Amino acid sequence: MRITTKSRFAVAAMVDIALREQNGPVSLKDISMRHQISVSYLEQMFSRLRQHGLVRSTRGPGGGYALGRKPQEISVVDIIHAINGPLRRISAPAKDEQENLTQDLWTRLDARMADYMHSVRLSELVTEQLTKG
């Protein structure tokens, strides 16, 4: 599983929306200021998130983004998948016998990462942030 900078920013932006959407749609400009991410970069990410039904947009004054589903229905892997495409294994077939010695290790690590990311819900990340204050 590849966890890119873009997918990490997307998870942070989704937590941001989940924390603030009770006050109405959250603008990309506000997310940009809070996380020091350019608005154009966010626009690219949110286009993909919207295509996958993770967010919905509202146009006009007071417009912005809100979650497309309940936070407990969105896993971290849903967000990563929307940004990076389908999950790819980090391990590649071994090129030689020496690489083959550790192939099982990387395959198991990859499987555990994927399982963990499937288990973490946006609602948990929001709760953690609220607990921290």
Side-chain angles (χ1 to χ4, degrees), residues 22-87:
Q22 73 276 5
N23 298 324
V26 180
S27 76
L28 293 184
K29 180 182 172 191
D30 290 343
I31 295 171
S32 172
M33 290 187 325
R34 283 191 287 272
H35 298 279
Q36 286 80 48
I37 306 169
S38 77
V39 172
S40 62
Y41 197 65
L42 286 169
E43 287 170 345
Q44 292 173 21
M45 287 190 308
F46 274 79
S47 173
R48 289 177 164 253
L49 294 169
R50 193 177 65 247
Q51 289 170 357
H52 286 267
L54 299 178
V55 296
R56 55 185 168 77
S57 61
T58 304
R59 293 181 180 236
Y65 287 88
L67 297 179
R69 301 192 309 234
K70 295 177 183 175
Q72 60 271 25
E73 295 173 358
I74 300 173
S75 71
V76 170
V77 85
D78 293 334
I79 300 166
I80 294 170
H81 171 78
I83 297 301
N84 293 339
L87 297 179

